[in-house]
């Protein structure tokens, strides 16, 4: 008997994911079809970008996402600099990468907490977010803000590394490296967590490639998609990243990749601080940017962030196209869930680290008896209870 | 009365009255939402003040709201507010909730929360720090306490 | 895989080819040849579809443009297809690349381009009560 579920995306826990909804067709426990509707956070940013100048657009674009704000601004600035034929000075490029990696750390710790909550492990959530405060403090000391660092300028950066700032960052990285080792151990050795993650939501390398997934989700299936490695930008050319992949392609692998790649971030941050190029923080940028088209790709915590920018030679862009990694990863979920069970939906979704914010929306279950309502919280609990039954 | 004793009074009141808070994101980038969530984690620990996060509007006293209100979110926002029993209060968090922030004038964006529902406390910032959010909630609780004392 | 390899693969359907940046190859194809070109890239496993961009070059121009961006490491191949402004239409590539559905839905609602054969014609970002005749990313869109 076929039924239709409409499920709001995102955990019910406040302050997290953007509202949207998936619609699932189910037959008993098994999913037979899926589609998605986004738009609750659609603010018309691409259009707005055409009506503001290049500098104003940095402030607009860095607010597309509060979790990965820096990489948005970075992708945009690198693109505009490409169009203008300008290169930011080496010190600035290194600082851009430094902040990008600090942002990746905060984002992965945030995700670890959220994912833990989704699986019913609230203690792990609290610990992860407590540890995250270490990197938040470092970012605040460095850039002046905990969120929306606003460090990028066209042609360079605004903030510099002082000995005190460097010292705080070194300490933060030492502390977080130890904590990351601990969490990696928890993920791989805790039985109940393993039950929710091992063998769940498996994506073969073939599937990952065909489905167009990106970032840690792809790397967990052995597909080496990481812009920092395959198409290095900013200071990644001078400070290269070693690729981190897993082969199991299951949820547990997605946990392992995100935690393991943090060790590369810690190594890179130390390396940059040890060898920070001297020199200017900024170079001159023309107000009007040469006409042309460019593509700028950077590795956000969730995967490849794609910017297409077109200039008509004026002080405002003709077109700014932003394709976020979550859009691709979400599309993959539509195919991935077919044939899987309802109880696995929350963890499969959280495994792609969807960049959403949360909203308590009712789930509509439409069957031939009429409409029933579920909440995301109920679905999450359903998943938790389902796996408890098997113990 | 000094700040410490005011804080103590409010804390006692809050613990006895335990206001239930419901959170709604009307189209925010998440920045404010993650700082709101941070207030519930051990470092800032809003829950020690007796404030409790609730899932259903029908049991909530306070609506804490972020975002510049997209068209899709507007009706849900109104609905949640209507479902809350009296007395009810609204806290708008972040520049977008106050004025639309950097998204003022964008299509699909209504603008400030108070274009849709009445707001009692505004917490500015992009995003406001967790301490500012806690301060805003305390301000509201203070107001609630005033109301109780008068009645 | 290299840009040279892509150039060879797509030769049969290339109207014009340009290298606007060292790592980029732009190939203009007709809407009629789009599926064949995409299939060629897919069969040879040349990269992956990273994004689809719609362009409106201005009211004076008779056509809109749709860009299909394929990435292989640092190399980017963009297939460029023109669509007449009055009745713009492109074929869906979803049966070749299923994840393209979200890109095509966005293209359709933002530019008013008909994507023929799209498996899901539902709006992606715009609300249900959005005026059907208003395409936000067109240069002449009337927005409040």
């Amino acid at each position: 008997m076929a039924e239709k579920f409409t499920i709001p995306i995102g955990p019910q826990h406040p302050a997290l994911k953007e509202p949207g909804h998936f619609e699932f067709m189910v037959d008993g426990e098994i999913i037979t079809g899926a589609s998605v509707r986004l738009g609750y956070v659609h603010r018309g940013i691409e259009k707005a970008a055409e009506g503001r100048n290049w500098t104003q657009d940095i402030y607009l674009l860095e607010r597309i996402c509060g979790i990965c704000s820096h990489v948005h601004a970075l992708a945009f600035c690198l693109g505009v600099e490409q169009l203008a034929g300008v290169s930011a000075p080496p010190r600035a490029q290194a600082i851009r990468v430094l902040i990008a990696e600090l942002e990746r750390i905060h984002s992965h710790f945030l995700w670890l907490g959220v994912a833990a909550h989704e699986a019913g492990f609230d203690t792990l959530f609290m610990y992860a977010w407590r540890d995250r405060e270490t990197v938040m403090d470092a970012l605040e000391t460095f850039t002046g803000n905990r969120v929306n660092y606003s460090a990028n300028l066209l042609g360079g950066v605004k903030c510099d590394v002082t000995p005190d700032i460097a010292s705080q960052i070194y300490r933060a990285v030492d502390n977080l490296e130890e904590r990351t080792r601990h969490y990696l151990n928890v993920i791989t050795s805790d039985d109940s967590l393993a039950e929710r993650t091992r063998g769940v939501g498996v994506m073969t390398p073939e599937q990952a490639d065909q489905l167009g997934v990106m970032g840690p989700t792809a790397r967990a299936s052995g597909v080496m998609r990481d812009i920092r490695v395959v198409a290095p930008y900013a200071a990644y050319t001078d400070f290269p990243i070693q690729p981190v992949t897993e082969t199991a392609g299951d949820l547990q692998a997605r946990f392992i990749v995100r935690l393991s790649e943090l060790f590369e971030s810690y190594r890179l941050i130390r390396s940059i601080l040890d060898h920070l190029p001297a020199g200017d923080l900024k170079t001159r940028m023309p107000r009007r940017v040469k006409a042309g088209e460019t593509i700028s790709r950077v590795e956000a915590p969730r995967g490849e962030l794609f910017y297409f920018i077109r200039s008509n030679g004026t002080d405002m862009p003709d077109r700014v196209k932003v394709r976020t990694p979550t859009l691709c990863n979400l599309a993959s979920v539509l195919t991935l869930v077919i044939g899987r069970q309802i109880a696995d939906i929350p963890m499969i979704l959280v495994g792609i680290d969807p960049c959403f914010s949360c909203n308590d929306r009712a789930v509509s279950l439409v069957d031939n008896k009429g409409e029933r309502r579920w909440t995301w919280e109920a679905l999450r609990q359903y998943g938790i209870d389902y796996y408890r039954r098997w113990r | 009365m000094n700040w410490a004793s005011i804080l103590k009074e409010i804390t006692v009141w809050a613990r006895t009255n335990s206001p239930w808070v419901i959170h709604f994101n009307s189209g925010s980038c998440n920045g404010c939402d993650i700082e709101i969530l941070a207030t519930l984690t051990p470092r800032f620990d809003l829950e020690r003040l007796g404030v409790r996060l609730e899932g259903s509007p029908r049991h909530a006293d306070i609506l804490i709201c972020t975002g510049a209100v997209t068209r899709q979110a507007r009706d849900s926002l109104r609905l949640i507010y209507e479902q809350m029993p009296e007395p009810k209060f609204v806290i708008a968090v972040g520049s977008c909730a106050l004025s639309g922030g950097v998204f003022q004038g964008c299509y699909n964006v209504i603008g400030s929360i108070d274009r849709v529902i009445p707001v009692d406390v505004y917490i500015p910032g992009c995003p406001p720090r967790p301490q500012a959010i806690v301060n805003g909630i305390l301000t509201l609780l203070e107001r609630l306490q005033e109301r109780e004392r008068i009645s | 895989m290299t840009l040279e390899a892509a150039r060879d693969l797509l030769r049969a359907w290339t109207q014009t080819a340009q290298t606007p940046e060292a790592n980029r190859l732009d190939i203009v194809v007709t809407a009629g040849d789009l599926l064949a070109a995409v299939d060629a890239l897919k069969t040879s496993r040349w990269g992956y579809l990273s994004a689809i961009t719609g362009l409106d070059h201005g009211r004076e121009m008779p056509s809109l443009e749709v860009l299909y961006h394929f990435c292989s490491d640092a190399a980017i191949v963009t297939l460029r297809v023109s669509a007449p402004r009055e009745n713009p239409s492109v074929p869906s590539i979803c049966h070749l690349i299923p994840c393209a559905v979200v890109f095509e839905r966005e293209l359709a609602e933002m530019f008013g381009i008909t994507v023929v054969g799209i498996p899901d014609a539902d709006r992606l970002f715009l609300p249900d009560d959005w005026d059907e005749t208003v395409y936000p990313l067109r240069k002449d869109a009337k927005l409040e």
Side-chain angles (χ1 to χ4, degrees):
Chain A
M1 185 188 63
E3 294 176 304
K4 198 164 70 158
F5 270 81
T6 314
I7 294 173
I9 302 167
Q12 199 264 309
H13 215 297
L16 284 170
K17 309 301 183 176
E18 285 145 31
H21 78 255
F22 270 115
E23 205 168 78
F24 296 107
M25 300 292 299
V26 295
D27 195 347
E29 275 294 315
I30 304 297
I31 301 162
T32 55
S35 69
V36 71
R37 211 33 213 280
L38 302 169
Y40 294 94
V41 200
H42 181 65
R43 291 150 286 169
I45 290 171
E46 289 182 11
K47 187 72 179 184
E50 294 172 13
R52 301 176 193 205
N53 69 37
W54 298 100
T55 300
Q56 288 168 328
D57 278 340
I58 302 176
Y59 294 97
L60 177 67
L61 297 165
E62 71 187 359
R63 285 165 176 78
I64 289 179
C65 176
I67 298 172
C68 56
S69 133
H70 175 76
V71 287
H72 274 279
L74 178 58
F76 179 69
C77 289
L78 286 174
V80 179
E81 286 158 13
Q82 262 155 230
L83 279 173
V86 161
S87 260
R91 189 176 181 87
Q93 300 284 38
I95 288 174
R96 283 170 166 177
V97 167
L98 189 54
I99 296 172
E101 292 307 312
L102 287 168
E103 182 176 70
R104 195 178 317 277
I105 296 168
H106 114 76
S107 177
H108 282 0
F109 269 85
L110 185 153
W111 172 80
L112 178 64
V114 170
H117 170 76
E118 280 310 295
F121 296 91
D122 274 344
T123 313
L124 181 50
F125 159 65
M126 289 290 173
Y127 273 111
W129 276 57
R130 184 202 65 179
D131 284 330
R132 182 174 158 266
E133 288 295 314
T134 307
V135 72
M136 302 296 275
D137 280 348
L139 280 161
E140 185 177 20
T141 308
F142 190 4
T143 68
N145 207 355
R146 287 164 53 92
V147 179
N148 279 329
Y149 325 118
S150 231
N152 279 292
L153 292 171
L154 291 170
V157 293
K158 271 182 212 168
C159 45
D160 201 1
V161 180
T162 64
D164 280 344
I165 289 172
S167 163
Q168 183 171 357
I169 296 175
Y170 276 118
R171 277 196 315 272
V173 158
D174 286 344
N175 171 265
L176 289 168
E177 188 168 45
E178 201 203 300
R179 295 302 296 157
T180 305
R181 252 181 238 122
H182 164 75
Y183 290 123
L184 201 48
N185 186 43
V186 165
I187 296 302
T188 47
S189 63
D190 182 283
D191 285 337
S192 30
L193 203 52
E195 198 171 40
R196 291 304 299 278
T197 59
R198 206 173 283 155
V200 173
V202 175
M203 235 193 300
T204 63
E206 186 55 39
Q207 279 178 310
D209 185 39
Q210 293 305 308
L211 292 176
V213 290
M214 314 197 148
T217 311
R219 301 199 277 278
S221 290
V223 175
M224 191 37 224
R225 283 187 184 159
D226 186 332
I227 306 299
R228 300 172 294 169
V229 175
V230 305
Y233 50 93
Y236 289 109
T237 42
D238 298 321
F239 297 94
I241 280 274
Q242 298 308 309
V244 173
T245 57
E246 284 289 306
T247 50
D250 60 3
L251 246 171
Q252 187 183 64
R254 288 168 211 148
F255 272 87
I256 294 172
V257 164
R258 286 191 181 93
L259 289 171
S260 303
E261 70 184 22
L262 287 180
F263 295 116
E264 270 299 290
S265 298
Y266 302 138
R267 183 190 63 73
L268 201 71
I269 288 168
R270 287 192 188 104
S271 184
I272 291 177
L273 289 175
D274 289 343
H275 303 107
L276 193 62
D280 295 328
L281 292 181
K282 177 176 161 22
T283 193
R284 264 205 103 237
M285 269 289 290
R287 195 169 63 88
R288 277 186 253 272
V289 171
K290 249 183 282 182
E293 293 176 351
T294 194
I295 289 174
S296 180
R297 297 152 73 208
V298 302
E299 187 71 16
R302 288 164 187 80
E304 176 187 326
L305 178 60
F306 182 104
Y307 269 66
F308 170 91
I309 305 170
R310 189 182 152 92
S311 170
N312 52 20
T314 66
D315 63 348
M316 297 200 297
D318 182 58
R319 179 82 170 95
V320 179
K321 158 82 185 170
V322 183
R323 197 276 291 131
T324 60
T326 295
L327 192 58
C328 297
N329 290 336
L330 264 188
S332 79
V333 170
L334 299 180
T335 312
L336 193 62
V337 292
I338 309 293
R340 319 265 182 168
Q341 57 197 9
I342 297 172
D344 285 333
I345 294 173
M347 292 307 278
I348 287 177
L349 263 179
V350 95
I352 66 165
D353 190 5
C355 194
F356 289 118
S357 51
C358 165
N359 196 311
D360 186 15
R361 283 242 158 63
V363 176
S364 297
L365 179 85
V366 181
D367 61 11
N368 42 23
K369 299 194 200 82
E371 210 174 290
R372 275 185 281 155
R373 315 210 107 218
W374 273 43
T375 58
W376 174 269
E377 179 58 35
L379 182 67
R380 172 184 163 265
Q381 197 57 48
Y382 185 83
I384 293 167
D385 293 342
Y386 181 92
Y387 279 92
R388 282 211 188 108
R389 251 185 276 142
W390 291 106
R391 278 202 215 132
Chain B
M1 255 192 171
N2 61 26
W3 174 241
S5 50
I6 294 172
L7 192 57
K8 183 157 181 231
E9 256 199 55
I10 292 172
T11 308
V12 167
W13 177 89
R15 283 205 185 118
T16 346
N17 293 272
S18 196
W20 289 11
V21 176
I22 184 172
H23 164 266
F24 183 79
N25 174 323
S26 75
S28 120
C29 75
N30 255 338
C32 291
D33 306 287
I34 60 183
E35 293 291 67
I36 291 171
L37 187 52
T39 64
L40 296 166
T41 58
R43 190 181 189 186
F44 306 103
D45 201 8
L46 197 58
E47 288 184 12
R48 89 187 121 91
L49 297 177
V51 176
R52 195 201 127 113
L53 213 56
E54 172 53 41
S56 163
R58 298 194 193 280
H59 304 135
D61 303 295
I62 301 174
L63 170 61
I64 189 164
C65 199
T66 61
V69 194
T70 59
R71 285 200 198 185
Q72 289 93 329
R74 172 182 43 194
D75 293 339
S76 302
L77 178 59
R78 234 181 240 134
L79 192 66
I80 286 177
Y81 183 72
E82 280 160 18
Q83 284 180 353
M84 288 168 71
E86 296 281 359
K88 58 191 170 186
F89 308 93
V90 177
I91 303 177
V93 175
S95 298
C96 290
L98 269 54
S99 66
V102 80
F103 304 109
Q104 273 180 67
C106 289
Y107 77 78
N108 213 47
V109 165
I110 306 295
S112 45
I113 304 277
D114 62 17
R115 284 190 181 193
V116 183
I117 56 175
V119 173
D120 296 281
V121 172
Y122 298 85
I123 307 179
C126 188
R129 315 181 71 229
Q131 291 93 330
I133 295 169
V134 171
N135 188 58
I137 293 175
L138 283 178
T139 306
L140 180 64
L141 294 182
E142 207 171 49
R143 216 173 277 181
L144 289 179
Q145 206 189 21
E146 270 303 308
R147 214 178 280 225
E148 271 211 18
R149 221 182 269 135
I150 291 167
S151 66
Chain C
M1 296 187 75
T2 63
L3 290 181
E4 274 319 300
R7 200 190 281 263
D8 287 334
L9 277 173
L10 298 169
R11 209 172 286 278
W13 308 285
T14 302
Q15 302 286 306
T16 59
Q18 288 197 319
T19 14
E21 287 176 301
N23 67 322
R24 283 176 51 212
L25 175 64
D26 280 8
I27 306 252
V28 175
V29 301
T30 64
D33 287 339
L34 175 65
L35 289 174
V38 170
D39 194 38
L41 290 172
K42 183 191 164 182
T43 312
S44 312
R45 309 193 68 125
W46 200 101
Y48 56 91
L49 177 71
S50 188
I52 298 177
T53 303
L55 286 180
D56 181 352
H57 296 295
R59 303 142 222 242
E60 337 73 58
M61 301 297 282
S63 302
L64 302 173
E65 221 187 345
V66 184
L67 276 49
Y68 299 79
H69 307 285
F70 291 82
C71 297
S72 175
D73 291 345
I76 307 173
V77 166
T78 302
L79 301 175
R80 304 184 75 118
V81 179
S82 264
R85 186 181 292 276
E86 285 317 302
N87 199 9
S89 147
V90 291
S92 170
I93 64 171
C94 285
H95 60 282
L96 294 171
I97 303 175
C99 72
V101 67
V102 288
F103 302 150
E104 289 181 344
R105 282 168 69 189
E106 181 182 6
L107 179 74
E109 69 183 351
M110 292 294 159
F111 285 92
I113 296 175
T114 306
V115 182
V116 180
I118 195 173
D120 182 352
D122 204 6
R123 285 182 165 144
L124 185 64
F125 293 116
L126 294 178
D128 287 329
D129 60 0
W130 186 269
D131 185 342
E132 263 176 22
T133 62
V134 176
Y135 308 115
L137 284 177
R138 289 229 196 163
K139 294 296 184 186
D140 56 4
K142 293 198 175 32
L143 301 163
E144 304 130 48

